[in-house]
Amino acid sequence: MALRTLVTRKTLRTLPLGFRGLQTFSLPDLPYDYGALEPAISGDIMQIHHQKHHQAYITNYNKALEQLDGAIAKGDASTVEGGGEPPKGSLGWAIDNHFGSIDALIQKMNAEGAALQGSGWVWLGVDKELKRLVVETTANQDPLVTKGPSLVPLLGIDVWEHAYYLQYKNVRPDYLKNIWKVINWKYASEVFEKECP
């Protein structure tokens, strides 16, 4: 990847001596024509993969670097530590106990969210009477309580197209895969501990 440096006057004033600025990446040209791999791989596939998918990885990486740089400059420790950090403590234990692992929970919620026809939500909740975690889906704007009066939401993922369409188009599974990077597990843990002391 080609390297470029973004330095502003403000950045220069706050950087430690010898720091050269925020380094970001740009999409390199392929060393061959998009159609060079035909007929095995079409030029259209190569162009879409390079200009859309590869470029998206680079763009998102650069955005993450810029957000990290901004968070460091502001002294925002929670952002620097990273959103979506898996839960620890009692919620982490309950997830392992009920689903096997955080990865198994994510896989289950992603599968149920992707399979939901039309608009709605996929929820991680706690049944406060049974002290058990549940994964449920609801249609449209229906809240989790419509699935049972003792259910309390710990987190909800909006799978209405308006939540992801501009960025992910109609590829809901990609949205579901990425949403976990920003899930507020701290809040979910606080609610869980309040409901299941």
Side-chain angles (χ1 to χ4, degrees), residues 3-8 11-12 15-16 18-24 69:
L3 192 61
R4 61 187 166 111
T5 303
L6 298 176
V7 180
T8 65
T11 309
L12 286 172
L15 289 175
F19 189 83
R20 296 185 180 165
L22 177 65
Q23 295 181 354
T24 59
D69 185 58

Side-chain angles (χ1 to χ4, degrees), residues 150-171:
S150 64
L151 297 181
V152 176
L154 301 178
L155 64 90
I157 300 175
D158 184 352
V159 292
W160 286 56
E161 280 191 346
H162 69 256
Y164 60 87
Y165 191 79
L166 288 177
Q167 184 173 356
Y168 295 97
K169 303 302 179 222
N170 62 344
V171 188

